[in-house]
Each structure stands twice: as C-alpha cells, then as structure tokens.
C-alpha cells in the first residue's frame, strides 16, 4: 500500500491542489453577501430612542418633514425620494465634534459627488441661531455642494422629533424646550426611508465602513 502511494505521490498532490482550487471557486460563486440590517427602535440603545416608540419591532421609517436649507429652499421627503442618504445633527457654532463631523461628511460628499443615488442631510439642533443666512455662510466655508448636501433648519420640535423618533441618533437632555446634546452619529437611510446603519461621525474608520455600506446598499437596487 505504501509503495502504491509513493508511486502516485505526485498525482495525489496535484489532485489535492486542483480540488482546493475548485472548492475555492465554488465557494466564491455561492457566497452571497448579506444585506445590511434594518434598524428598529427596540434594537437600538434606548437612550437614543423616544420612550413612545422604544417597543417598536418593525416597520420603522423616517417621518415626513418640512425644513429649510442653506438656500432658503423648503426641503421635504420628496427631495430624497428614491435616494440613499446620510443624515446627521450639528450646529454651526459648535467648536468640538461638529467640525470633525462636517469634515467627514465632506469626505463622503467627495466620494458620492458623481453618484446620483446618494445625498446628504444635516439638521441644525440650534435653529434659533442657524438661520438660512448662517447656514449659507457655513455651507460656503465648508465647501458644501448644494446639489448633494442640504443643511437644514426649522421648527425645533420637528427637528427634535426627527432625531429621537425617526433617525434614533440623539440623546435627550431632559429639558422642557426640546433641547438636544451633541451626537456624533451618522445614519444611513435607504430608498424606503429605513435606517440601514449608524456610524460614529468623528471616526474615519467608522466612516470608511459607512462608505463601504453605501456600496453594499446600492447592490440591493440593482
């Protein structure tokens, strides 16, 4: 028996290598990339979710909104119809995490500049300060492309409700005037107004993951 194996040693080595290659090819063909998860309120840190919807297990979507952008244009869900978009919350006078977040949003803007499927949406959490004129100055300073990225202001309660009842990214500061504290979170929203990812907007590594997830999400619509 040993003599037999010695006689055909080369044959078995070649057979083993060929078998490995074939198995690898079949694995690559059959391997299906899993879709991104759909985030629901009951599966997210409760501190980021309004108490009225913390129990919700399915069918969560971003609520309709009506806000004003840096050019004085009214922005609604219609402006994001059939779009993938990234949302965040900031304010123009912030000197801590917001400039870092804005730089990361700008990096995303540069990556999607020629992609008609993807847009950006930044909500001011200090609408009493961030007027249209203030947003416009900030947009110019930060090289915001108006066709890709809306900086929006509007009713404080509406913005607060969007943050905690729709995007699920902002902690409550327990004030009576719908106050909000800083959040570094970016939310990835699909064409069906569902949350498909939440990322740390001050972490380049996390934003790298976001950019990759945009590509994964786009494959769902091909």
């Amino acid at each position: 028996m040993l003599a037999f194996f010695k006689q055909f040693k080369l044959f078995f080595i070649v057979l083993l290598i060929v078998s490995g290659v074939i198995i690898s090819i079949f694995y690559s063909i059959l391997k299906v990339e899993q879709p991104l998860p759909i985030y629901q309120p009951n599966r997210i840190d409760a501190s980021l979710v309004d108490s009225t919807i913390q129990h919700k297990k399915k069918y969560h979507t971003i609520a309709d909104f009506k806000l004003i952008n840096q050019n004085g244009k009214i922005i609604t869900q219609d402006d994001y119809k059939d779009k993938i978009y990234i949302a965040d919350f900031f304010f123009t006078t912030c000197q801590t995490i917001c400039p870092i977040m804005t730089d990361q949003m700008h990096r995303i803007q540069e990556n999607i500049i020629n992609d008609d499927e993807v847009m950006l949406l930044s909500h001011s959490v200090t609408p009493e300060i961030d007027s249209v004129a203030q947003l416009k100055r900030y947009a110019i300073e930060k090289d915001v492309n108006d066709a890709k990225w809306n900086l929006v202001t509007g009713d404080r309660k509406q913005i607060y409700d969007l943050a905690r009842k729709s995007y699920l990214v902002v902690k409550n500061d327990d004030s009576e005037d719908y106050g909000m504290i800083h959040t570094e979170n970016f939310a990835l929203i699909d064409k069906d107004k569902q949350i498909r990812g939440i990322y740390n907007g001050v972490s380049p590594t996390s934003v790298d993951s976001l950019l990759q997830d945009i590509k994964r999400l786009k494959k769902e619509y091909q």
Side-chain angles (χ1 to χ4, degrees):
M1 182 64 71
L2 185 60
F4 172 81
F5 279 110
K6 286 183 177 179
Q7 184 178 357
F8 292 96
K9 179 180 179 181
L10 181 59
F11 170 77
F12 283 116
I13 291 174
V14 173
L15 180 62
L16 183 63
I17 293 172
V18 171
S19 298
V21 171
I22 292 173
I23 291 171
S24 177
I25 291 172
F26 270 105
Y27 178 78
S28 298
I29 293 173
L30 295 174
K31 183 181 178 182
V32 178
E33 189 172 51
Q34 292 298 311
L36 294 174
I38 298 174
Y39 284 60
Q40 303 297 339
N42 73 319
R43 301 301 298 273
I44 291 178
D45 180 354
S47 67
L48 300 172
V49 183
D50 190 87
S51 60
T52 61
I53 62 167
Q54 286 176 1
H55 64 284
K56 195 172 183 180
K57 299 180 180 179
K58 55 184 178 180
Y59 306 130
H60 180 74
T61 58
I62 306 304
D64 291 340
F65 53 83
K66 187 176 182 180
L67 299 163
I68 304 172
N69 78 353
Q70 66 268 27
N71 297 313
K73 177 187 175 184
I74 293 175
I75 300 297
T76 69
Q77 284 279 19
D78 287 342
D79 294 282
Y80 289 84
K81 185 177 180 180
D82 296 324
K83 302 291 184 183
I84 293 166
Y85 70 97
I86 299 91
D88 76 336
F89 291 79
F90 81 113
F91 59 103
T92 61
T93 55
C94 166
Q95 298 299 315
T96 55
I97 64 172
C98 295
I100 302 171
M101 292 166 59
T102 300
D103 287 345
Q104 290 300 319
M105 285 289 271
H106 186 270
R107 181 159 77 95
I108 299 170
Q109 174 185 264
E110 294 307 292
N111 273 268
I112 64 163
I113 198 69
N114 296 314
D115 190 334
D116 293 336
E117 287 186 81
V118 188
M119 294 181 65
L120 306 175
L121 179 61
S122 294
H123 308 73
S124 170
V125 299
T126 59
E128 68 280 358
I129 296 173
D130 289 332
S131 63
V132 170
Q134 175 68 5
L135 289 179
K136 187 62 177 180
R137 285 191 289 270
Y138 191 80
I140 293 171
E141 177 187 343
K142 300 299 183 180
D143 191 31
V144 170
N145 185 308
D146 293 343
K148 302 296 293 183
W149 187 0
N150 289 299
L151 313 180
V152 292
T153 189
D155 177 70
R156 173 181 276 272
K157 182 180 184 303
Q158 180 183 184
I159 294 171
Y160 174 92
D161 284 344
L162 284 169
R164 291 190 45 81
K165 295 182 179 180
S166 284
Y167 296 105
L168 316 180
V169 293
V170 176
K171 292 184 177 181
N172 186 12
D173 74 350
D174 297 320
S175 68
E176 296 181 357
D177 62 345
Y178 304 103
M180 286 181 279
I181 60 176
H182 279 178
T183 175
E184 70 278 8
N185 293 320
F186 288 1
L188 175 62
I189 312 302
D190 68 16
K191 295 182 181 182
D192 298 308
K193 302 186 291 186
Q194 300 173 124
I195 303 171
R196 304 303 295 274
I198 295 176
Y199 310 84
N200 185 330
V202 299
S203 165
T205 301
S206 186
V207 174
D208 287 342
S209 296
L210 168 56
L211 291 169
Q212 290 302 311
D213 285 349
I214 290 172
K215 295 176 182 178
R216 289 176 62 190
L217 185 54
K218 286 184 64 177
K219 291 179 181 178
E220 296 184 23
Y221 301 101
Q222 292 176 355

